[in-house]
Every structure is written in C-alpha cells, then in structure tokens.
C-alpha cells in the first residue's frame, strides 16, 4: 500500500500540486476552534452546499467514519480550483486503481463561481466539504510535514490552499 500511495503523491505533483505529502491520520490535528473560525470567520457559512450547516453529516458522524481511515495525502496548491481538480482526481484514482473504495476528499468547493444553494448542487460529483468544516486545524496538521505558507519578497502571503484525501 505504501508504494501505491507514493504513486498518488507523484500523480498529485504531475497534476500541478505545489506539494503533496503522506501522513498517518493520527497526525491530523482537530481543534474545535477551526469550526468556530469557519462559522464566524467565513462568508460561505450557510450559503454553500459544502459548508455548514448544510452538510448532512454531523461532526460526530464524520469522526466515527474518520476512525476507519489510516493514511491520508495532504495536497498544497496555489489555486483553489486546481486544488479541487487534483484532490478529486486522486480520490477517484485511489478508488479505481488502488482498491481504496472509501477514499474521501476534503477540499473547499470552488467549482461554481456562485453556489446554486438553495437549489440543488449543479456538480455533486465535485462537491466535498472543506478541512475546517469538520474542525481540522490545517496549519498544525501541515506544518510538521514541512508544508508552510510562503511569502514574496514584499512580505505578502503567496496563495496557498490545502486539501486532503483520506485513504482506507
């Protein structure tokens, strides 16, 4: 399985990821403050199908399912739409080529310019919840892997988006 996961990392890089790293799910950091930041710090709350409170899976249900995953691939990209394409492609590749039938992507959905909410999702095959929607502390999860936010010579933060594929 380790060699297969490494191939998925290579594929992520070939598809345009800035970085991709393997981690044990035990290293994924959950912090309820991430959910608070999602709730009170993001204008997407209640306006997108993939953002709380419209996700039909409660945090408890997510945590129960999460216990079944042993490994994950965290993906860093400079563009959210490219990151979404890469993450969904890896999820499908893990399922079809490597037998990870329950592979699951966590990625901020930016597929539509404007979400169709409250009308049905136009692209449900692309829609997944974000990492912080379920309380994952992205910074504390990514930093031990050497994934960090970068700054340009003027000190401005360069675009940086994280996503993840959970693997069974």
């Amino acid at each position: 399985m380790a060699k297969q996961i490494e191939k998925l990392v290579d594929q992520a890089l070939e598809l345009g990821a800035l970085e991709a790293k393997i981690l044990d799910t035990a290293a994924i950091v959950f912090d309820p403050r991430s959910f608070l930041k999602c709730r009170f710090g993001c204008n997407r709350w209640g306006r997108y199908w993939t953002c709380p409170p419209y996700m039909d899976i409660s945090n408890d249900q997510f945590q129960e399912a999460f216990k079944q995953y042993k490994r994950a691939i965290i993906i860093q990209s400079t563009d959210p739409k490219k990151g979404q394409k890469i993450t969904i492609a890896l999820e499908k590749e893990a399922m079809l080529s490597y037998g990870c039938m329950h592979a699951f992507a966590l990625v901020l959905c930016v597929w539509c310019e404007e979400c169709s909410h409250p009308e049905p999702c136009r692209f449900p095959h692309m829609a997944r919840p974000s990492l912080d929607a379920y309380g994952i502390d992205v910074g504390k999860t990514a930093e031990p892997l050497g994934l960090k936010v970068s700054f340009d010579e003027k000190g401005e933060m360069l675009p940086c988006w994280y996503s993840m594929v959970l693997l069974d």
Side-chain angles (χ1 to χ4, degrees):
M1 176 68 131
K3 293 274 188 211
Q4 295 170 336
I5 294 174
E6 302 241 354
K7 288 180 183 176
L8 289 171
V9 168
D10 292 341
Q11 183 177 356
L13 297 172
E14 289 169 13
L15 291 171
L18 187 60
E19 291 278 351
K21 303 275 184 166
I22 301 166
L23 70 153
D24 291 331
T25 54
I28 296 173
V29 179
F30 287 88
D31 187 330
R33 294 175 298 179
S34 297
F35 181 77
L36 287 175
K37 184 96 169 161
C38 183
R39 169 64 178 98
F40 296 104
C42 181
N43 67 355
R44 297 172 63 93
W45 181 276
R47 296 178 48 223
Y48 290 76
W49 282 117
T50 57
C51 294
Y54 296 111
M55 300 180 307
D56 289 338
I57 300 170
S58 71
N59 195 33
D60 290 341
Q61 290 170 314
F62 176 80
Q63 287 296 326
E64 194 60 35
F66 180 80
K67 291 176 189 175
Q68 303 299 311
Y69 294 98
K70 302 297 178 222
R71 309 273 267 165
I73 299 173
I74 191 165
I75 301 154
Q76 184 183 39
S77 59
T78 57
D79 176 71
K81 197 163 208 173
K82 182 185 277 188
Q84 186 173 2
K85 286 180 185 178
I86 294 166
T87 307
I88 299 298
L90 287 188
E91 176 194 76
K92 295 199 183 324
E93 184 69 16
M95 292 169 64
L96 297 173
S97 298
Y98 302 113
C100 297
M101 295 312 294
H102 295 101
F104 187 69
L106 294 165
V107 59
L108 180 68
C109 186
V110 293
W111 200 249
C112 300
E113 193 68 34
E114 186 175 319
C115 186
S116 63
H117 183 271
E119 298 299 320
C121 178
R122 293 183 296 260
F123 300 97
H125 64 286
M126 293 299 291
R128 302 293 186 281
S130 69
L131 294 157
D132 21 17
Y134 284 112
I136 294 175
D137 185 324
V138 178
K140 287 184 181 171
T141 299
E143 193 170 317
L145 299 169
L147 301 173
K148 295 183 180 181
V149 174
S150 300
F151 297 88
D152 66 14
E153 58 280 344
K154 295 178 185 175
E156 293 184 30
M157 188 170 77
L158 297 172
C160 182
W161 300 90
Y162 290 100
S163 56
M164 184 179 293
V165 179
L166 299 174
L167 302 167
D168 49 341

